[in-house]
């Protein structure tokens, strides 16, 4: 009995977690979708009744479509830029990680910024690239750049920094550097070894980090909330629909689109990573 | 100066502030196999990495076939490496792994295909050419790593603990197979191992290292016959050096408790007076008897282990532990009488001749 | 030469990452602090000149002090609740993880919600516990609970769910279950083995996860932005100072406090974790 | 029925849908040591976990001293476990580790202190009592794990590959020390190992497992003298069974190529006609000679490895590989003549007597 008991009992301990997931995950998503379809609660100016408009508005309205595209471009683009800087950095850290406290300190410095709220990141950007920002005072053309797409992009690059470096570092710490050493002895240049050995081997982990960081970045509200003046991203419209006139059904539709976009980015990256991983096994 | 073979000349290597290898000099003639053996942390793997160009020496040179490689990058050394865990490229097939070095060297497709086919046949991997490393057994992985390193026709082939990653049950067979494969190459082979049987059976030259320094180098039989010191005797032969005094009557050991007649020992009577020497006691040097005899010494049986072929006995003679392999049944805690079985080697130290 | 070259060159590849950190991390933090001290840009209604008021307002103003306390309580409390549910769950997953795709699927299900933006989480809560939320329709007392501290707390528990489970799962995957098995053979009951062996061994990892998740939760803006009606949290005030009258210096001060609070939570957890870790080594 | 010792009765264990152990029955008398030996994946560790109560059997019983433990939880079994990696509690000192089981059993503080002090002294760990496991060497950890398991005065002590985590160089000495410590206990010891030397030297009863089944059990000398089949012969003795035909003149092996006179072999001439049997060839069963003689068979030297004590030779006789240990130098590729050295055992199978 004991073996089976041990197993059941430890799974039993997991029940509260699973129950929580169901209560907090499945139910609200269902309610959200029902509301978005016009079958649940509606706002003052909204018609009840089944409609797909609330869900398709992000694709049909040109303004929302533009926000959707900008959200994806900013979310994935900023993470990609961080990856280009982060992969060599974290690889170097993992190779020299053995060297006393050094590596530990670097690790803390690089991951501490994960604690910086999106709203503070947005604020930084205003102080740097805002209309009276310090860069604007030096180069007038940069004044107010914080509120343009390039400025928002810069803010999001900073936002994704710790969200990329931390997980990347964890993933790279298991990289077998003897693969590169062996490639070198076989005659490969440093660049060739990187492209033909390192990159293919770390790609599944990189794709997964990319997906997770991009999903978080796409859904982040704080940064864009501080920077939204001319340019807009999707999370903003969800909040606006609620605060301006309490358009519950419309906001629900946008929230479903936003959630699907973020979760979709994550899910796609997971699938791609698993597929790449299988190719290695 | 044109030197043939592999020359390691006064090599020292530092890791951070510690000296991992100190003043190592070795010479391996063309076509021969060097085994570097020693306990973990003795610096043997560092020597291998330095030959490969993956670690930079603090002092000294590495010369292969007269060419000083000390400042040549790893990618231009013509040194093949079989790392300890084999480090097969997980994203490439067996063929892709073997082909890697040839591609990196810009060998054209037809020549590449021909060379890989030959190596696949040589290492008996042809049916597995399309497999991924993860689908291979330990022994197959070892052969892929070997074929990959051999593909670039290296002047020196380095093998880091080539058998350590294999199941102990398979190691014997894999060692014989590896010997066959290495025997067919013309390059200089350097094997790093912590296993004395591997070193003795696979190498033409064995180098014993300890704490970053070379303790002794020579042919397996040389080292087996005359280990330089107690460390090599213990590590390589499982044997013990016992201090002896040679006088005109006999060889005396254990503070005179054991008098060995000259008839039983391979030692020359000193011309005059007494001389000091040391006696190498191997596990099969002693025969045990229940009865006292000429040239025997009483010994306490501390341990007796039946290991099949024989019983391994640890004797205590005057506070010194001596290992003996015997076919006779002995009982722990009893006293037996040990005498020399054959003619173990005694090395009288001429400089220590006493009055 | 080659060894040293290899080492320098791979560290060299890390330079862009380090440069980025300096440009995006040190400079803005310095500017933010300078502004908060009243020495940089100020808003229309603000006096320039050196002052600590902007930094101390969170402690001196009763309303802001209350927000500060609520932020800390909600941030750390919600994560603690998740830990209680999450530790047995992830331990069970790590013991039975070897069992084919099963574990992988569970892992995806549990971590996918990390992609759900805070703003969507806030929205969920409104749909469940809002004035017309489904729980409110069943139990009238729960109507509008979303806007009270308990409701906000529930929202943040959900927000921290994937942010706790994911890292916790990674940390638990290396737990050596033979420790528990051994404790059992020595006569320890299941509960005793958990308290006397499992918990002390996993504590450093748990504390680190707690710190990171709490820091992110404290700084999160989306959830509170949707739920703020009567109850307020600190990130809200930062945004408000900017949107209402562009009080740059005051907002900077609050942003510095918020950043220090979040980064401090992370740093304290890191130190505590390192200390606990040392006690194990 | 009151049975003394450890009785494993028709035990079967499933992992998911695979049967890891199948119909295993064993009996270990009080105070004796059982070694379960076999290649990896043979189910030996599963047997250990089942005795400890950490895995539930699908069928069969585990009985200790007449008490059926099959349905007793691990915490109430009085079975001490020394896991393979020792699984020391990293947050507790050496003292805290050893004390753990006594605390869990509610032993009072004074008695606990006294028992732990005694075990610390017994395992020579007293000076290390306040150390953390991470500050100990491999051998010291092993002793802590042993002392911790012994503290609860278990009726059965289980050791999972007790020497596998140690440096190969130290294993011999550690084995002797472990034997001493185990010899001082009164409990039944069960050791799981993949190393035949460990099994033969440490156990009173050796059980050889393969694919979840018991192949043979008996005393080390019994198994060494008469391995049940080719698997046990190879695994436990490094030996080969050769089919022979016994007629009135000689014992014939290798399709008649080798005729061994009865004078050289420990076999009875069949009463009439011919009989079949098998001949156990151990590495030291054969002597090699350059010249043909009575009762020799020509053999091709496939491999010869110098391993110090002797040269390991693989011979090929009529397509069969035979291992031989010899002191003579031999060269790979040459033909030698092999004859029986002593009196190896031939087992004529009576039921196979031919006309």
């Amino acid at each position: 009995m004991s073996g089976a008991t041990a197993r059941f009992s430890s799974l039993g301990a997991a029940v509260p977690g699973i129950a929580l997931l169901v209560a907090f995950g499945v139910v609200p998503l269902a309610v959200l979708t029902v509301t978005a379809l016009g079958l649940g609660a509606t706002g003052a100016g909204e018609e009840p009744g089944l409609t797909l408009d609330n869900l398709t508005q992000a694709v049909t309205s040109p303004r929302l479509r533009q926000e959707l595209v900008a959200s994806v471009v900013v979310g994935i683009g900023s993470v990609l830029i961080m990856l280009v800087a982060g992969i060599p950095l974290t690889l170097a850290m993992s190779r020299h990680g053995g060297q006393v406290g050094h590596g530990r300190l670097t690790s803390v410095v690089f991951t501490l910024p994960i604690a910086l709220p999106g709203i503070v990141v947005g604020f930084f950007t205003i102080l740097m690239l805002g209309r009276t920002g310090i860069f604007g005072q030096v180069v007038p053309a940069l004044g107010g750049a914080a509120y343009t797409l390039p400025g928002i992009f810069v803010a999001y690059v900073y936002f994704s920094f710790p969200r990329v470096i931390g997980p990347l570092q964890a993933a790279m710490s298991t990289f077998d550097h003897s693969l590169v050493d062996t490639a070198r002895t076989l005659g490969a240049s440093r660049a060739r070894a990187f492209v033909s050995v390192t990159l293919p081997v770390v790609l599944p982990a990189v794709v997964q980090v990319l997906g997770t960081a991009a999903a978080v970045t796409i859904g982040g509200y704080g940064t864009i909330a501080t920077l939204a003046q001319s340019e807009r991203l999707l999370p903003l419209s969800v909040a606006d629909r609620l605060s301006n006139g309490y358009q519950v059904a419309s906001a629900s539709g946008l929230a479903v689109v936003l959630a699907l976009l973020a979760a979709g980015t994550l899910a796609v990256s997971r699938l791609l990573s698993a597929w790449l991983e299988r190719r290695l096994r | 100066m044109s030197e043939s073979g592999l020359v390691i000349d006064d090599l020292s290597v530092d890791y951070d502030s510690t000296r991992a290898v100190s003043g190592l000099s070795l010479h391996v003639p063309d076509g021969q196999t060097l085994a570097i053996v020693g306990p973990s942390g003795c610096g043997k793997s560092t020597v291998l990495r330095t030959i490969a160009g993956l670690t930079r020496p603090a002092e000294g040179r590495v010369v292969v076939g007269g060419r000083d490689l000390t400042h040549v990058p790893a990618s231009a050394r013509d040194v093949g490496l079989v790392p300890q865990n084999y480090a097969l490229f997980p994203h490439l097939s067996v063929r892709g792994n073997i082909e890697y070095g040839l591609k990196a060297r810009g060998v054209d497709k037809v020549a590449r295909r021909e060379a890989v086919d030959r190596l696949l046949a040589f290492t008996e991997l042809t049916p597995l050419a399309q497999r991924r490393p993860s689908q291979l057994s330990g022994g197959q992985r070892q052969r892929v790593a070997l074929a990959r390193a051999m593909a670039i026709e290296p002047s020196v082939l380095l093998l880091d603990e080539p058998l350590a990653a294999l199941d102990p049950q398979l190691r014997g067979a894999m060692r014989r197979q590896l010997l066959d494969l290495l025997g067919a190459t013309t390059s200089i082979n350097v094997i790093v191992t912590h296993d004395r049987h591997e070193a003795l059976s696979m190498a033409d030259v064995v180098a014993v290292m300890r704490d970053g320094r070379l303790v002794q180098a020579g042919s397996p039989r040389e080292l087996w016959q005359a280990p330089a010191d107690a460390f090599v005797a213990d590590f390589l032969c499982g044997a013990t050096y016992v201090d002896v005094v040679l006088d005109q009557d006999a060889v005396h050991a254990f503070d005179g408790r054991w008098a060995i007649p000259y008839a039983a020992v391979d030692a020359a009577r000193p011309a005059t007076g007494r001389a000091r020497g040391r006696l190498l006691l191997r596990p099969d040097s002693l025969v045990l008897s229940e009865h006292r005899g000429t040239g025997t010494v009483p010994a306490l049986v501390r341990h007796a282990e039946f290991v099949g072929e024989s019983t391994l006995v640890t004797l205590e003679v005057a506070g010194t532990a001596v290992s003996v392999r015997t076919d006779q049944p002995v009982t722990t805690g009893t006293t037996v009488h040990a005498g020399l079985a054959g003619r173990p080697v005694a090395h009288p130290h001429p400089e220590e001749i006493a009055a």
Side-chain angles (χ1 to χ4, degrees), chain A, chain B:
Chain A
M1 288 298 287
S2 63
T5 314
R7 192 157 147 192
F8 271 42
S9 132
S10 61
L11 279 183
V15 164
I18 295 169
L20 222 77
L21 181 78
V22 173
F24 279 77
V26 180
V27 175
L29 264 177
V31 173
L32 189 67
T33 311
V34 166
T35 308
L37 291 171
L39 299 173
T42 47
E46 291 179 320
E47 291 280 317
L50 180 62
T51 169
L52 285 173
D53 288 357
N54 294 320
L55 283 174
T56 54
Q57 58 181 333
V59 195
T60 49
S61 142
R63 208 188 57 135
L64 285 174
R65 192 165 59 225
Q66 200 191 322
E67 283 184 33
L68 186 74
V69 171
S71 279
V72 173
V73 168
V74 167
I76 296 180
S78 64
V79 171
L80 273 178
I81 285 183
M82 271 319 304
L83 281 178
V84 171
I87 291 173
L89 174 70
T90 50
L91 274 174
M93 283 164 84
S94 92
R95 192 187 264 266
H96 306 292
Q99 287 157 36
V100 288
H102 192 68
R104 200 181 179 91
L105 181 72
T106 323
S107 153
V108 170
V109 167
F110 280 117
T111 55
L112 211 59
I114 202 174
L116 288 184
I119 198 163
V120 174
V121 171
F123 208 94
F124 279 0
T125 315
I126 292 176
L127 290 174
M128 313 286 282
L129 297 171
R131 264 176 282 277
T132 55
I134 55 166
F135 284 128
Q137 287 167 8
V138 180
V139 185
L142 291 177
Y147 309 107
T148 64
L149 210 49
I152 292 171
F153 201 88
V154 167
Y156 272 94
V157 167
Y158 183 74
F159 181 75
S160 41
F161 189 106
R163 285 155 185 88
V164 168
I165 298 294
L168 211 53
Q169 202 195 338
M172 295 304 182
S173 66
T174 59
F175 179 74
D176 179 4
H177 291 279
S178 69
L179 293 177
V180 174
D181 289 346
T182 309
R184 297 276 293 133
T185 65
L186 291 171
S189 65
R190 224 157 252 131
R192 188 188 189 100
F194 182 77
V195 172
S196 64
V197 175
T198 311
L199 218 48
V201 171
V202 302
L203 206 55
V206 167
V207 166
Q208 187 157 342
V209 170
L210 166 68
T212 310
V216 170
T217 308
I218 287 173
Y221 177 54
T223 309
I224 190 60
T226 39
L227 298 180
Q229 292 206 350
S230 52
E231 289 296 336
R232 303 177 54 85
L233 298 177
L234 203 54
L236 216 55
S237 290
V238 180
D240 283 1
R241 295 287 153 103
L242 270 188
S243 41
N244 304 335
Y246 203 62
Q247 307 173 46
V248 181
S250 172
S252 289
L254 287 181
V256 167
V257 170
L258 184 61
L260 286 180
L261 194 63
T265 306
L266 184 62
V268 166
S269 77
R270 284 282 169 102
L271 287 174
L272 187 58
S273 170
W275 180 76
L276 286 167
E277 187 89 39
R278 249 200 317 280
R279 293 202 51 209
L280 290 189
R281 295 287 154 266
Chain B
M1 160 176 79
S2 157
E3 303 151 295
S4 78
L6 165 68
V7 177
I8 296 172
D9 182 18
D10 199 25
L11 188 77
S12 295
V13 187
D14 294 342
Y15 268 139
D16 295 320
S17 55
T18 30
R19 180 137 291 195
V21 175
S22 188
L24 180 80
S25 293
L26 278 172
H27 175 233
V28 192
D30 278 329
Q32 292 212 349
T33 298
L34 164 72
I36 307 180
V37 67
S40 36
C42 73
K44 53 190 194 299
S45 291
T46 305
V47 175
L48 211 68
R49 289 184 61 82
T50 310
I51 300 174
L54 298 170
T55 299
R56 184 200 167 190
E59 285 167 35
R61 299 184 309 145
V62 174
V63 181
V64 175
R67 179 177 168 223
D68 188 338
L69 295 182
T70 318
H71 301 290
V72 175
S75 56
R77 282 201 178 195
D78 266 338
V79 168
L81 174 66
V82 179
Q84 182 166 1
N85 57 359
Y86 307 139
L88 297 183
F89 304 132
H91 57 302
L92 299 179
S93 66
V94 167
R95 173 176 290 279
N97 266 279
I98 300 176
E99 205 175 20
Y100 187 91
L102 299 173
K103 261 188 174 163
R105 274 145 204 269
V107 174
D108 74 76
K109 206 173 170 185
V110 178
R112 231 156 61 202
R113 189 163 185 90
E114 196 260 329
V116 174
D117 283 343
R118 193 167 35 75
L119 280 160
L120 283 169
F122 174 61
T123 50
E124 295 171 27
L125 288 166
T126 311
L128 308 173
Q130 298 314 317
R131 292 254 186 107
R132 290 293 161 109
S134 56
Q135 300 166 309
L136 302 178
S137 72
Q140 290 164 347
R141 280 178 212 191
Q142 186 208 52
R143 266 143 56 206
V144 177
L146 194 65
R148 180 178 63 178
M150 282 177 169
I152 61 168
E153 291 176 12
S155 43
V156 178
L157 186 59
L158 308 174
L159 299 104
D160 194 357
E161 299 276 6
L163 299 162
L166 302 177
D167 194 324
Q169 298 291 334
L170 302 171
R171 233 172 261 171
M174 288 297 147
R175 181 167 69 186
R176 286 187 279 279
Q177 189 176 49
L178 182 59
L179 263 178
D180 280 353
L181 294 175
L182 291 182
T185 68
T186 53
S187 64
I188 297 162
N189 304 314
V190 180
I191 297 174
V192 153
T193 176
H194 66 271
D195 182 306
R196 65 187 176 102
H197 289 119
E198 274 171 43
L200 291 171
S201 63
M202 299 180 76
D204 303 299
V205 184
V206 174
V208 183
M209 286 186 70
R210 186 191 195 181
D211 297 337
R213 293 177 178 280
L214 180 69
V215 184
Q216 192 178 11
S219 77
R221 279 179 201 274
E222 273 167 28
L223 266 63
W224 179 260
Q225 296 297 337
D229 61 12
F231 169 73
V232 179
D234 180 41
F235 189 86
L236 213 63
C237 317
T240 313
Y241 266 121
V242 174
D243 287 322
V244 295
V245 173
L246 298 83
D247 66 12
Q248 298 302 316
D249 299 328
V251 178
H252 302 274
F254 301 119
D255 299 327
R257 253 166 261 196
W258 190 18
I260 311 159
Y262 278 101
V265 66
D266 185 21
R269 207 180 301 255
T272 163
R274 291 142 60 94
R276 289 193 192 179
R278 51 182 188 173
L279 181 69
L280 185 64
L281 287 182
R282 300 179 189 281
D284 50 6
S285 297
L286 293 173
V287 280
L288 307 184
S289 161
E290 287 177 33
H291 310 290
R292 174 181 292 271
T294 347
T296 65
V297 60
L300 178 68
V301 179
R302 305 285 318 194
H303 296 275
E305 293 178 277
F306 177 68
V307 291
E309 298 87 344
S310 51
T311 303
L312 291 184
V313 180
T314 308
L315 296 180
E316 189 183 310
V317 192
T320 305
V322 178
S323 297
V324 177
R325 186 180 291 117
T326 180
D327 291 327
Q328 290 154 275
V330 292
T331 315
T332 303
T334 60
T335 298
V336 295
H337 297 272
L340 283 185
R343 290 187 140 242
V345 190
H347 300 272
H349 292 192
E351 72 276 20
E352 287 185 29
I353 291 174

